[in-house]
């Protein structure tokens, strides 16, 4: 059994002690690298092509183990090249702080032109950073885009929000450029409470205001989506797992409290990761939540093998008691079948892949067995539909799909994270898929070119850690670790 097989089979926390004995303590993170979401590509240097973001939260920096890094691959008409890249760490000139062991810089990332200067900015979480607030309090840095790329950065400090006790601040991130400078927003997940920053943002670190969500909305995953079509995004917060349920509570606008002073949560469903997009093309964003864990009581909560839940937006938004549509691998039209431990819904993004005006669901199942290869991983695309239930026309990719480089191996975890973005300006967005367990957990990221009907395996490419200049022998986690630390 290879090391990466063991990590995925037993979970990071369960395997860490045994692996330390096998490999030596220096080979392992002291804590799992949180990376719920990864940034979509953004044009950081203003050349008209969006640039891909490949986080590497387990990367060693100047001898500091697991300090973390972010690799930017610059977009071009010919697509991405490993030679056109930038490596950014907390030791990079212009970036606040200093690389320290275990920081996990790059564990979560988000992209938006926050200061509306025409250059995309990159928001980076380091949720294991120790600060004056305490051990593993966490930090969040904004790297500002410019003609020269991401050359300067400032912090979004947890200290800006009174009354919050940060812990793993920066565990997840969401960001959007608003219709005006004041309406740009950044959401930061923290186990001490989710934090919302609003504009105007400035390159010197200024912002308009900050607010902490209600105490019970401890942040594990965050997202932004305009569910009621009023032009302003609602704020989604998914808490860490709750006892007796497969996932955490799901809150919409947790800053708004009910009659007893608690935020109103969606009562039918839970999960670990959220994404938003207009799945049925009615002009309202829909909320999509991945709930990959096995149910504690069959038939009462969750679904064996994992599930994805979809709440529809409307002029009235999403009611707290709304019943979501459920998608599993047993749903009609969805490839494969639900099997215990697949963690379908373990990675998630929502984007219009075929330009039909409908957002599609991209769902990772990083512990899906492929043939006899346990936990090799699979990614499923569920197309959006104007009417009817979702599932028809779904398709899937694995490393064994014809045209995909490499091959499925036990423990690879293909589908650990997923992202979508057009990097060659052909109006056909590329699909990005990571596999954190690949090559002794150094990780890898595949790019699937966009086509008229969606991403295609033909001419797909893979970027490994060594190919982008990260030569350590294990635990780089190129592409991030996704939900691997909680599922």
């Amino acid at each position: 059994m290879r090391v990466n097989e063991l990590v995925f089979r037993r979970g990071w926390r369960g395997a860490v002690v045994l692996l330390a004995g096998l490999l030596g303590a220096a080979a392992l993170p002291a804590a799992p690298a949180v990376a719920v979401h990864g940034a979509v590509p953004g044009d950081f240097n203003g050349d008209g092509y969006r640039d891909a973001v490949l986080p590497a939260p387990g990367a060693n920096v100047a001898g500091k183990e697991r300090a973390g890094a972010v690799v930017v691959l610059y977009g071009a008409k010919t697509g991405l090249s490993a030679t056109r890249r930038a490596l950014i760490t907390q030791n990079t000139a212009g970036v606040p702080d200093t690389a320290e062991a275990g920081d996990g810089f790059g564990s979560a990332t988000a992209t938006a032109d926050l200061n509306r200067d025409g250059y995309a900015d990159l928001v980076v979480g380091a949720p294991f950073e120790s600060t004056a607030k305490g051990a593993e309090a966490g930090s969040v840095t904004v790297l500002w885009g410019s003609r020269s790329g991401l050359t300067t950065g400032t912090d979004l400090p947890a200290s800006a929000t009174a009354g919050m006790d940060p812990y793993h601040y920066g565990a997840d991130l969401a960001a959007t450029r608003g219709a005006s400078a004041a309406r740009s927003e950044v959401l930061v997940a923290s186990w001490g409470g989710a934090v919302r920053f609003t504009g105007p943002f400035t390159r010197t670190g200024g912002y308009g205001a900050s607010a902490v969500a209600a105490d019970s909305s401890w942040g594990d995953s965050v997202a932004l989506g305009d569910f009621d079509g009023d032009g302003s995004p609602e704020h989604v917060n998914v808490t860490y797992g709750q006892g007796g349920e497969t996932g955490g509570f799901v809150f919409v606008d947790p800053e708004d409290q009910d009659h007893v002073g608690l935020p109103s949560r969606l009562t039918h469903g839970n999960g670990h990761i959220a994404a938003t997009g207009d799945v049925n093309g009615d002009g309202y964003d829909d909320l999509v939540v991945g709930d990959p864990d096995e149910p504690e009581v069959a038939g009462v909560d969750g679904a064996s093998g994992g599930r994805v839940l979809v709440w529809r937006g409307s002029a009235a938004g999403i009611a707290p008691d709304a019943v979501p549509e459920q998608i599993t691998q047993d749903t009609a039209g969805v490839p494969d079948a639900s099997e215990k431990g697949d963690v379908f819904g373990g990675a998630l993004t929502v984007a219009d892949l075929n330009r039909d005006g409908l957002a599609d669901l991209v769902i990772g199942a990083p512990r899906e067995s492929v043939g006899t290869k346990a936990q090799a991983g699979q990614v499923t695309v569920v197309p959006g539909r104007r009417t009817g239930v979702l599932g028809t026309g779904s398709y899937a990719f694995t490393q064994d799909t014809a045209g995909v480089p490499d091959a499925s191996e036990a423990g690879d975890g293909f589908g650990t994270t997923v992202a979508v973005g057009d990097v060659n300006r052909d109006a056909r967005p590329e699909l990005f898929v990571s596999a954190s367990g690949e090559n002794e957990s150094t990780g890898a990221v595949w790019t699937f070119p966009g086509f008229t009907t969606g991403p295609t395996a033909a001419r797909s490419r893979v970027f490994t850690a060594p190919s982008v200049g990260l030569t350590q022998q294990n635990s780089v986690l190129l592409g991030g670790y996704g939900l691997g630390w909680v599922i």
Side-chain angles (χ1 to χ4, degrees), residues 1 3-19 28 31-33 293 343 367 375 481 483-487:
M1 181 184 297
V3 169
N4 53 351
E5 290 180 56
L6 186 66
V7 170
F8 260 91
R9 184 170 301 174
R10 298 187 58 182
W12 193 278
R13 293 190 186 275
V16 70
V17 174
L18 177 57
L19 284 173
L28 292 170
D293 270 351
V343 296
R367 295 187 190 170
Q375 302 184 9
Y481 196 48
L483 289 174
W485 70 304
V486 294
I487 55 177

Side-chain angles (χ1 to χ4, degrees), residues 4 16 78 81 90 101 137 154 171 194 258 272 281 319 334 342-343 351 392 432 436:
N4 53 351
V16 70
T78 54
S81 169
Q90 288 178 300
T154 56
D258 64 15
H272 284 295
V334 176
D342 284 345
V343 296
T392 300
F432 297 82
S436 65

Side-chain angles (χ1 to χ4, degrees), residues 55-247:
N60 299 339
V61 178
K64 306 296 184 181
E65 295 177 1
R66 310 168 307 278
V70 172
V71 177
V72 175
L73 300 180
Y74 291 107
K77 185 176 182 179
T78 54
L80 302 175
S81 169
T83 62
R84 296 193 305 270
R85 69 176 190 258
L87 176 67
I88 303 171
T89 75
Q90 288 178 300
N91 282 355
T92 300
V95 178
D97 215 320
T98 302
E100 299 162 311
D103 284 347
F105 181 79
S107 288
T109 50
T111 306
D113 181 6
L114 294 176
N115 60 349
R116 299 171 56 83
D117 64 353
Y119 300 98
D121 310 306
L122 181 63
V123 189
V124 183
F128 301 107
E129 177 93 37
S130 293
T131 73
K133 288 281 188 177
E136 298 188 3
S139 67
V140 173
T141 301
V142 180
L143 301 175
W144 299 101
S146 71
R147 183 173 296 181
S148 301
L150 302 169
T151 58
T152 62
T154 56
D155 283 332
L156 283 177
S159 59
T161 52
M164 189 187 81
D165 183 18
Y167 186 54
H168 297 330
Y169 174 76
D172 193 25
L173 300 164
T176 185
R177 167 182 163 142
S180 66
R183 295 172 72 177
S184 293
E185 296 189 28
V186 176
L187 289 185
V188 181
S190 165
W191 285 16
V195 184
R196 175 170 59 102
F197 291 90
T198 54
F201 294 92
T202 68
R203 295 178 64 91
T204 57
Y207 53 88
S210 61
V212 180
D215 289 342
S216 59
S217 60
W218 326 278
D220 210 13
S221 175
V222 289
L224 291 161
D226 186 3
F227 304 133
D228 57 10
D230 66 354
S232 295
E234 277 67 55
H235 318 124
V236 179
N237 186 56
V238 182
T239 73
Y240 50 74
Q242 306 299 308
E245 299 193 12
T246 50

Side-chain angles (χ1 to χ4, degrees), residues 299-388:
V300 175
D301 178 62
S304 183
R307 64 178 181 172
V308 169
L309 302 175
V310 182
W311 284 268
R312 307 290 185 169
S314 69
I318 298 174
D321 60 353
V323 178
E325 180 178 346
Q326 176 175 287
I327 304 169
T328 73
Q329 289 180 295
D330 287 338
T331 297
V334 176
D336 218 296
S338 295
E339 300 160 310
K340 186 175 181 179
D342 284 345
V343 296
F344 181 78
L348 184 66
T349 195
V350 178
D352 185 359
L353 293 170
N354 58 0
R355 294 310 190 203
D356 64 353
L358 307 173
D360 309 306
L361 281 59
V362 183
I363 304 167
R367 295 187 190 170
E368 175 78 34
S369 294
V370 178
T372 61
K373 309 298 175 57
Q375 302 184 9
Q378 177 174 284
V379 169
T380 301
V381 177
V382 178
R385 297 190 65 186
R386 295 193 183 278
T387 60

